């Protein structure tokens, strides 16, 4: 069985839990005391990942680190539809890669602000917040045009890709870092669509969309 070296409050670990939930992949979560224990920096954990980062995924004899690399692996190996990592569609694959790099930027701004507020990480909070707002404006406008064209996801397909999974938790938990999403309506509608994907899993601060009028989104995944 797959093992995921995991911390419940990590957005990068959550991306893997979400992807495996959607794909129906069984796995064992191996808790790592990221805070306050800093177990990921211990000599013992260095045997698993010498860079001292989580998540790490172990699948049989194969071990992989880095959140977005793991998403690529999971989708390539466990998605028989080949839609989440669309290797058969070069243009869509290129777009997916482009937005995966965008997710690195949301992690370095929105999620960094959350780490500063919640765990006291030494980041320039105002720079993180300003950077996140710049990215959210770009993404909100992009998603508005997608919706106008009848599409609901960050890459140009009628279905989500791993790029949606990579960006989603950074956006959803941005309020914890003092970054409001009130001015980004298309961004909020997109987060609702992600939360309706079959197999969606929760983490503290991220919940599925409940019953109510918001379920009327015509772009919601079937």
């Amino acid at each position: 069985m797959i093992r995921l070296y995991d911390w419940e409050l990590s957005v990068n670990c959550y991306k893997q839990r979400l992807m495996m939930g959607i794909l129906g992949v069984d796995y064992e979560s191996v808790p790592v005391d990221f805070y306050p224990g800093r177990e990921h920096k211990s000599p013992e954990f260095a045997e698993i990942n010498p860079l001292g980062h989580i998540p790490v995924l172990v699948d049989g004899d194969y071990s992989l680190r880095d959140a977005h690399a793991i998403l690529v692996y999971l989708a390539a190996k466990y998605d028989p539809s080949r839609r989440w990592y669309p290797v058969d569609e070069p243009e869509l694959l290129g777009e997916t890669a482009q937005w995966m790099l965008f997710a690195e930027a949301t992690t370095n701004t929105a999620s960094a602000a959350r780490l500063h507020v919640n765990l006291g990480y030494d980041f320039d909070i105002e720079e993180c917040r300003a950077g996140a707002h710049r990215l959210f404006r770009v993404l909100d406008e992009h998603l508005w045009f997608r919706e106008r064209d009848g599409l609901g996801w960050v890459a140009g397909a009628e279905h989500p890709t791993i790029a949606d999974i990579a960006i989603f938790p950074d956006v959803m938990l941005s309020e914890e870092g003092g970054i409001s999403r009130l001015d980004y309506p298309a961004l909020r509608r997109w987060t609702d669509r992600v939360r309706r994907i079959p197999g969606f899993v929760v983490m503290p601060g991220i919940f599925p969309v409940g019953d109510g009028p918001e379920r009327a989104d015509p772009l919601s995944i079937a």
Side-chain angles (χ1 to χ4, degrees), residues 1-210:
M1 179 180 288
I2 289 175
R3 280 179 287 137
L4 176 67
Y5 290 85
D6 191 11
W7 187 51
E8 184 181 25
L9 299 182
S10 162
V11 292
N12 281 328
C13 294
Y14 171 69
K15 294 172 187 179
Q16 319 314 319
R17 300 195 299 269
L18 178 56
M19 189 78 261
M20 288 191 280
I22 291 169
L23 295 177
V25 174
D26 292 331
Y27 69 97
E28 174 192 3
S29 175
V30 182
V32 177
D33 183 5
F34 181 87
Y35 183 87
R38 292 179 58 81
E39 186 181 358
H40 57 300
K41 299 298 183 184
S42 68
E44 292 79 11
F45 193 80
E47 298 293 322
I48 300 167
N49 180 2
L51 298 181
H53 298 160
I54 52 171
V56 175
L57 183 135
V58 179
D59 189 0
D61 295 330
Y62 182 68
S63 177
L64 189 65
R65 61 177 184 254
D66 187 85
H68 296 164
I70 296 172
L71 287 179
V72 169
Y73 171 77
L74 288 171
K77 182 166 182 178
Y78 292 104
D79 172 27
S81 76
R82 302 166 73 87
R83 298 172 75 181
W84 284 96
Y85 188 60
V87 292
D88 299 324
E89 301 176 70
E91 293 182 358
L92 183 58
L93 182 62
E95 280 187 62
T96 301
Q98 171 185 272
W99 287 104
M100 294 289 282
L101 290 173
F102 184 90
E104 297 285 350
T106 58
T107 298
N108 291 334
T109 53
S111 285
R114 176 173 169 262
L115 288 174
H116 174 86
V117 171
N118 290 346
L119 305 183
Y121 272 56
D122 185 21
F123 297 133
D124 184 330
I125 185 64
E126 295 308 323
E127 185 176 318
C128 289
R129 287 169 175 164
H133 279 296
R134 282 195 298 272
L135 296 168
F136 285 9
R137 280 193 292 273
V138 169
L139 184 56
D140 185 69
E141 181 176 287
H142 171 76
L143 289 167
W144 185 91
F145 280 108
R146 284 279 190 248
E147 290 177 345
R148 186 197 63 176
D149 295 337
L151 301 173
W153 311 102
V154 296
E158 294 181 351
H159 54 81
T161 67
I162 58 172
D164 295 278
I165 303 301
I167 298 170
F168 170 73
D170 296 335
V171 172
M172 275 302 298
L173 294 175
S174 65
E175 304 272 358
E176 292 186 9
I179 302 159
S180 172
R181 298 189 301 279
L182 280 176
D183 292 336
Y184 310 112
L187 193 58
R188 297 200 306 275
R189 290 191 294 272
W190 167 75
T191 62
D192 287 347
R193 288 192 287 275
V194 175
R195 292 188 293 157
R196 294 189 186 101
I197 295 174
F200 179 83
V201 300
V202 302
M203 74 169 279
I206 299 180
F207 305 98
V209 174

